[in-house]
């Protein structure tokens, strides 16, 4: 998932006895594993939290086109170019179904886009990092999509029906994306010395930002508990981060690359790796707008939207003319 | 000279195949430059899809071109290791994206050509050509559906969208004549029953263009002037920059496997 630190408007989870009858019936449906559909009653907080979470996820798919698009025109072979184009097309498609899922909650795509452009909604911190070499396209697929899958697979079971169904489809495509990323990394890691250097450098730069994708430690995630009670978050940030590290370290070893963490060590007792936390100060700076590419990413999106206004207006005007002439003919 | 089934000289067939492969390659590259910057999400998806189809078509033509040439060059050597003077795309394809209107008009003018051209190639005496044309032709048909529809909607949209589409048409019109010019290579392909003469496709192209532009309330420029040079390798300044971008990795790291 590309949603981090989604606010829930509540600081603690109430138990069933503190709820109104409607709220209790709603919570019991969730506890029984039923899906909530758009026309069902839902607490305001649930609706707002989902809009934030799904909207943030959708925005991430759209902004995420930019770092990958940065290499589409420079892809090294025609096959790589075709695969990357197909991948970026999928990402835009994910954005589309997610905006549609959000629309079922009563907010329009245009409203969400305006909130993003006004800086009132976020997208994943990871897309504020630059793609500097072709190996970064491999690292984005391998690590970034890998981290996203880790979060999205459980979300297929999330309580909100449209979100859960969007996730089923998205997960299928994401696993193909991750494989293509790993395939690029294999070629680079087994390539000439410049390519091996690019591969290691990409891992060095993307490792910690990928760990940040899961959000801050559970100890500091004040909103997690309510989201988990509502089943719009299934695992804690730390559980998912641990799972990601455990899965990824052997892959890095297979590639002959070194994970940039001196404290990385297998811990037999917990059956997982011990590893260093990312620099959370950097994470909060990136969220505040101080990542390497925040400004450029937003400028690019706002420019695309503003430059495209005449196209959207033209299409609307034509549709209205057609409608008017059809109505006149009837 | 090596002959291909005694029908046509390999160097002529090679030259003709480069023309088929280079136009979608260069146009696909241009379209892919839009990634993440289009006016609306549906168009991000559509543009990526069109670019993907065009790159796919180019790969089929260039792979075959490499085989016909017989010097061990494949699609990647041909795409990434030729300089501008060896490219054989229409000048229209390499024109810069400009605004969405210019990109769309460029696409429409080429799609309206590709549909009858590829349809005619399906009855080529060369089986490989007819197979590639059958696949590419299906894609060209839906590319034309989309580009014609959008040209009509934006031409007959707001005064602003109308003005932009007319400007795009005026800017690109002088690059359309080249598609029908034809030369000795086209003559030889026609004589061998392998391909249509480009000039014979003009009436069908003109019919589509007239019909769509009329519905779009756009005026066809009166000038018949046509820029030439794509087929002989004399390109605009734009192509060199496009290639510098596209070929960067293959040029900077010769012999690497990607």
């Amino acid at each position: 998932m590309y949603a981090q630190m989604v606010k829930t408007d509540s600081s603690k989870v109430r138990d069933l006895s503190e709820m109104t009858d409607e709220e209790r019936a709603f919570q019991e449906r969730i506890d029984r594993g039923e899906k909530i559909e758009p026309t069902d009653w839902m607490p305001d907080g649930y609706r707002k939290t989902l809009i934030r979470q799904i909207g943030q996820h959708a925005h991430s798919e759209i902004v995420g086109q930019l770092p990958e698009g940065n290499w589409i025109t420079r892809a090294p072979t025609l096959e790589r170019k075709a695969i990357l184009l197909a991948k970026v097309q999928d990402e835009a498609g994910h954005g589309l179904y997610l905006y549609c899922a959000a629309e079922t909650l009563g907010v329009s795509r245009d409203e969400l886009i305006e909130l993003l452009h006004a800086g009132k909604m976020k997208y994943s911190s990871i897309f504020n990092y630059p793609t500097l070499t072709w190996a970064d396209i491999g690292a984005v697929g391998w690590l970034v999509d890998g981290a996203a899958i880790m979060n999205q697979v459980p979300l297929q079971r999330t309580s909100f029906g449209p979100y859960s169904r969007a996730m089923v489809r998205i997960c299928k495509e994401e696993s193909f994306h991750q494989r293509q990323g790993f395939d690029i990394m294999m070629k680079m890691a087994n390539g000439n010395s410049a390519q091996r250097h690019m591969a290691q450098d990409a891992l060095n730069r993307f490792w910690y930002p990928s760990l940040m994708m899961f959000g801050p430690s559970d100890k500091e995630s004040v909103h997690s508990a309510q989201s988990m009670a509502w089943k719009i978050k299934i695992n804690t940030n730390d559980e998912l981060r641990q799972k990601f590290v455990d899965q990824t370290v052997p892959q890095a070893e297979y590639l002959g690359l070194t994970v940039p963490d001196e404290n990385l060590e297998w811990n037999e007792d917990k059956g997982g790796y011990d590893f260093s936390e990312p620099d959370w100060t950097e994470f909060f700076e990136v969220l505040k707008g101080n990542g390497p590419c925040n400004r450029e990413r937003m400028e690019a999106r706002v420019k695309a939207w503003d430059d495209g206004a005449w196209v959207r207006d033209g299409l609307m005007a034509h549709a209205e003319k057609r409608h008017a002439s059809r109505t006149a003919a009837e | 000279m090596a002959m291909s089934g005694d029908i046509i000289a390999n160097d002529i067939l090679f030259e003709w195949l480069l023309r088929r492969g280079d136009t979608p390659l260069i146009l696909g590259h241009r379209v892919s430059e839009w990634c993440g910057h289009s006016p609306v999400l549906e168009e991000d998806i559509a543009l990526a899809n069109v670019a993907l189809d065009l790159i796919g078509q180019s790969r089929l033509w260039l792979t075959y071109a490499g085989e016909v040439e017989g010097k061990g060059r494949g699609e990647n050597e041909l795409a990434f290791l030729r300089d501008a003077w060896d490219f054989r795309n229409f000048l229209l394809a390499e024109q810069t994206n400009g605004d969405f209107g210019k990109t769309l008009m460029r696409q429409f003018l080429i799609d309206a050509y590709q549909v009858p051209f590829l349809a005619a190639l399906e009855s080529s005496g060369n089986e490989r050509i007819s197979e590639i044309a059958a696949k590419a032709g299906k894609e060209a048909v839906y590319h034309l559906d989309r580009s014609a529809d959008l040209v009509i909607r934006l031409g007959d949209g707001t005064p602003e969208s109308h003005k932009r589409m007319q400007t795009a048409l005026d800017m690109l019109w002088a690059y359309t004549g080249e598609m029908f010019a034809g030369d000795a290579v086209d003559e030889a392909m026609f004589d061998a029953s392998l391909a249509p003469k480009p000039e014979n496709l003009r009436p069908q192209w003109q019919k589509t263009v007239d019909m769509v532009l009329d519905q779009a309330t756009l005026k066809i420029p009166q000038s018949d002037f046509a820029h030439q040079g794509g087929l002989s390798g004399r390109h605009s300044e734009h192509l060199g920059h496009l290639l510098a971008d596209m070929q960067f990795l293959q040029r900077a790291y010769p012999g690497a496997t990607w």
Side-chain angles (χ1 to χ4, degrees):
Chain A
M1 164 167 84
Y2 295 118
Q4 297 155 324
M5 304 194 62
V6 177
K7 288 190 187 148
T8 57
D9 293 341
S10 74
S11 50
K12 76 179 257 299
V13 182
R14 290 179 301 161
D15 67 36
L16 291 175
S17 66
E18 297 170 286
M19 294 179 182
T20 64
D21 291 348
E22 265 174 329
E23 287 170 340
R24 194 177 311 113
F26 175 83
Q27 187 62 50
E28 283 168 352
R29 287 185 64 194
I30 290 184
D31 295 344
R32 286 196 298 269
E34 287 178 31
K35 293 277 180 258
I36 306 301
E37 295 300 332
T39 50
D40 296 346
W41 184 87
M42 61 186 80
D44 235 25
Y46 177 84
R47 182 188 301 275
K48 283 186 187 158
T49 305
L50 268 174
I51 289 174
R52 284 192 199 108
Q53 180 167 329
I54 300 173
Q56 195 183 125
H57 189 165
H59 295 329
S60 301
E61 300 282 358
I62 302 312
V63 177
Q65 293 181 97
L66 298 171
E68 296 193 300
N70 184 39
W71 280 92
I72 283 182
T73 56
R74 290 178 291 170
T77 68
L78 294 183
E79 186 182 19
R80 290 284 179 209
K81 192 197 287 279
I83 293 170
L84 187 55
L85 270 167
K87 174 176 193 259
V88 176
Q89 186 189 358
D90 287 347
E91 311 286 10
H94 298 172
L96 193 59
Y97 346 121
L98 287 163
Y99 283 125
C100 291
E103 284 186 329
T104 67
L105 292 160
V107 61
S108 74
R109 194 204 309 180
D110 286 4
E111 285 173 84
L112 290 172
I113 289 173
E114 280 160 20
L115 288 168
L116 172 71
H117 292 176
K120 291 178 182 162
M121 279 186 91
K122 290 194 291 272
Y123 54 92
S124 176
S125 58
I126 193 72
F127 300 117
N128 291 312
Y129 290 87
T131 51
L132 302 178
T133 73
W134 175 249
D136 289 10
I137 298 304
V140 167
W142 173 37
L143 301 174
V144 175
D145 292 329
I149 291 168
M150 209 49 94
N151 230 316
Q152 287 167 357
V153 165
L155 280 176
Q156 295 177 99
R157 294 182 280 114
T158 189
S159 61
F160 187 56
Y163 193 28
S164 146
R165 291 188 286 272
M167 278 306 147
V168 171
R169 174 144 182 204
I170 289 174
C171 282
K172 283 186 193 146
E173 293 179 346
E174 289 293 354
S175 62
F176 149 75
H177 297 170
Q178 196 197 15
R179 280 202 300 278
Q180 70 83 36
F182 192 73
D183 187 58
I184 291 176
M185 291 308 281
M186 284 217 290
K187 280 280 190 311
M188 300 298 280
N190 295 312
N192 64 29
S193 62
Q195 288 174 301
R196 285 197 300 277
H197 178 75
M198 286 182 220
Q200 182 62 54
D201 180 56
L203 175 57
N204 293 349
R205 284 181 289 105
F206 276 94
W207 175 254
Y208 288 108
S210 299
L211 297 187
M212 291 176 197
M213 286 177 67
F214 299 98
S217 173
D218 297 335
K219 299 186 284 289
E220 291 163 41
S221 292
V222 289
H223 304 289
S224 284
Q226 180 62 69
S227 285
M228 290 179 81
W230 279 333
K231 290 193 189 158
I232 54 185
K233 184 176 173 125
I234 310 286
N235 303 90
T236 70
N237 296 348
D238 287 333
E239 277 168 12
L240 291 170
R241 193 171 6 254
Q242 181 70 52
K243 214 169 153 194
F244 174 75
V245 170
D246 293 344
Q247 175 186 287
T248 310
V249 169
Q251 294 171 346
E253 283 168 1
Y254 179 79
L255 290 169
L257 300 176
T258 308
V259 173
D261 180 359
E262 287 176 0
N263 299 318
L264 186 75
E265 200 176 358
W266 179 255
N267 180 332
E268 197 58 54
D269 293 340
K270 77 171 182 187
Y273 286 91
D274 290 331
F275 57 94
S276 302
E277 289 275 312
D279 176 357
W280 292 112
T281 312
E282 176 182 318
F283 173 74
F284 287 109
E285 284 300 326
V286 173
L287 288 196
K288 269 195 273 175
N290 295 323
C293 300
N294 295 58
R295 192 175 297 272
E296 289 153 51
R297 299 287 186 246
M298 263 313 93
E299 273 173 12
R301 288 308 307 162
V302 170
K303 184 174 188 304
W305 187 248
D306 291 349
D307 288 355
W310 72 269
V311 177
R312 298 189 302 274
D313 292 346
L315 296 176
M316 286 305 290
H318 184 79
E320 281 157 20
K321 282 184 201 180
R322 274 209 185 157
H323 180 72
S325 69
R326 252 202 310 272
T327 314
E330 276 164 12
Chain B
M1 188 176 291
M3 302 294 278
S4 170
D6 288 327
I7 296 174
I8 195 143
N10 272 359
D11 57 347
I12 291 177
L13 181 56
F14 174 67
E15 180 75 14
W16 184 89
L17 288 167
L18 287 183
R19 295 176 185 182
R20 301 287 76 74
D22 286 346
T23 289
L25 175 65
I26 299 304
L27 184 62
H29 182 98
R30 280 288 185 232
V31 175
S32 78
E33 292 171 353
W34 274 97
C35 174
H37 303 281
S38 90
V40 63
L41 187 48
E42 284 79 355
E43 278 305 308
D44 272 319
I45 297 172
L47 289 164
N49 193 24
V50 169
L52 184 57
D53 287 345
L54 292 171
I55 298 299
Q57 293 172 13
S58 172
R59 294 179 65 193
L60 296 172
W61 291 120
L62 291 182
T63 298
Y64 184 33
E67 289 169 23
V68 167
E69 186 194 34
K71 293 182 181 168
R73 292 201 284 183
E75 58 179 41
N76 289 320
E77 287 77 12
L78 289 171
F80 295 99
L81 300 175
R82 279 180 297 155
D83 207 339
W85 56 69
D86 285 328
F87 273 79
R88 296 293 181 259
N89 57 284
F90 295 135
L91 296 177
L92 182 54
E94 73 202 45
Q95 297 307 303
T96 52
N97 284 341
D99 65 3
F100 185 75
K102 187 179 169 194
T103 290
L104 182 64
M105 186 59 78
R106 182 185 62 199
Q107 187 71 41
F108 166 66
L109 294 169
I110 295 179
D111 290 342
Y113 176 87
Q114 293 287 40
V115 168
F117 195 92
L118 293 167
L121 284 182
E122 284 192 52
S123 49
S124 168
N126 175 313
E127 202 179 325
R128 185 80 171 268
I129 291 176
S130 66
E131 280 170 13
I132 298 174
K135 181 181 185 297
K138 285 192 195 95
E139 294 166 350
V141 167
Y142 65 74
H143 293 174
L144 179 60
D145 278 348
R146 164 183 170 269
S147 62
D149 178 56
L150 283 171
V151 164
I152 291 169
R153 288 156 68 188
L154 291 174
D156 184 23
T158 59
E160 166 80 3
S161 72
H162 175 84
K163 192 179 96 194
R164 285 177 182 260
M165 296 311 291
Q166 185 66 54
T167 304
L169 179 61
D170 295 346
M171 221 173 344
L172 296 172
W173 187 253
Y175 295 99
T176 57
E178 185 189 31
M179 298 193 289
F180 307 101
D183 62 4
V185 170
D186 294 300
E187 285 290 332
M189 289 293 288
F190 178 75
D191 291 343
S193 302
L194 297 179
K197 261 191 211 180
E199 65 197 71
N200 293 346
L201 299 164
R202 184 148 204 158
Q204 210 179 330
W205 178 84
Q206 193 72 51
K207 195 174 148 199
T208 308
V209 167
D210 287 348
M211 190 184 76
V212 170
L213 295 182
D214 179 59
Q215 284 189 59
T217 69
L218 296 172
K219 281 201 187 69
I220 295 183
Q222 288 308 300
S223 169
D224 286 336
F225 175 76
H227 290 288
Q228 308 269 346
L231 301 187
S232 59
R234 276 198 196 180
H235 290 274
S236 62
E237 289 180 346
H238 306 305
L239 186 64
H241 293 281
L242 184 155
L243 295 181
D245 200 23
M246 183 173 95
Q247 298 180 337
F248 159 66
L249 283 171
Q250 290 277 357
R251 298 289 192 182
Y253 303 98
T257 304
W258 303 95

